[in-house]
Amino acid sequence: MSELLLDRVADDVVAALETGLPPAGEHSRLYEDLGFDSLMLIELVDRLQERRPALGDLPLPDMVGAMADIGSLTDWLRGTAEEHPRPPHAPAHPGPGAAARGAKAEENPA
């Protein structure tokens, strides 16, 4: 398991908790060990999507089974990223107006 990705997901989990708890570990269970509730879960999903836009929308019902602990959530995110890789030339964050530029390009084919 990539330690960097694991650390980043653990940081997102702790941030969603908003309790100032020390960083969580790979085997920290979201509900039993960290006291997650449904609002914290939604905050975590929002944070994960914001920090990893290449994953696109993360379907909460699909994620629930992967949320036994931080390690399994990290593995699930890695698998999702592998299923939906971003093309090498695609920016991680399209700049403002990218959709408008794309629409203009379609209106005026060269």
Side-chain angles (χ1 to χ4, degrees):
M1 176 177 306
S2 164
E3 291 301 315
L4 180 60
L5 179 58
L6 178 62
D7 289 346
R8 288 185 177 168
V9 172
D11 289 345
D12 290 340
V13 168
V14 170
L17 285 170
E18 297 180 356
T19 61
L21 289 174
E26 178 178 356
H27 300 290
S28 295
R29 297 171 299 173
L30 298 178
Y31 296 101
E32 297 87 347
D33 297 335
L34 301 174
F36 255 68
D37 62 23
S38 58
L39 294 176
M40 291 173 181
L41 183 63
I42 291 169
E43 171 67 25
L44 174 61
V45 172
D46 288 346
R47 183 175 298 276
L48 291 169
Q49 288 179 152
E50 180 181 304
R51 292 186 64 184
R52 293 158 191 85
L55 293 174
D57 290 333
L58 297 172
L60 186 57
D62 293 348
M63 292 179 71
V64 170
M67 297 184 117
D69 60 33
I70 293 174
S72 60
L73 174 59
T74 302
D75 289 341
W76 186 86
L77 290 169
R78 182 178 298 106
T80 299
E82 290 170 358
E83 290 174 12
H84 302 98
R86 190 177 73 234
H89 61 280
H93 299 282
R101 287 191 303 274
K104 289 179 184 176
E106 290 176 14
E107 293 170 5
N108 301 318

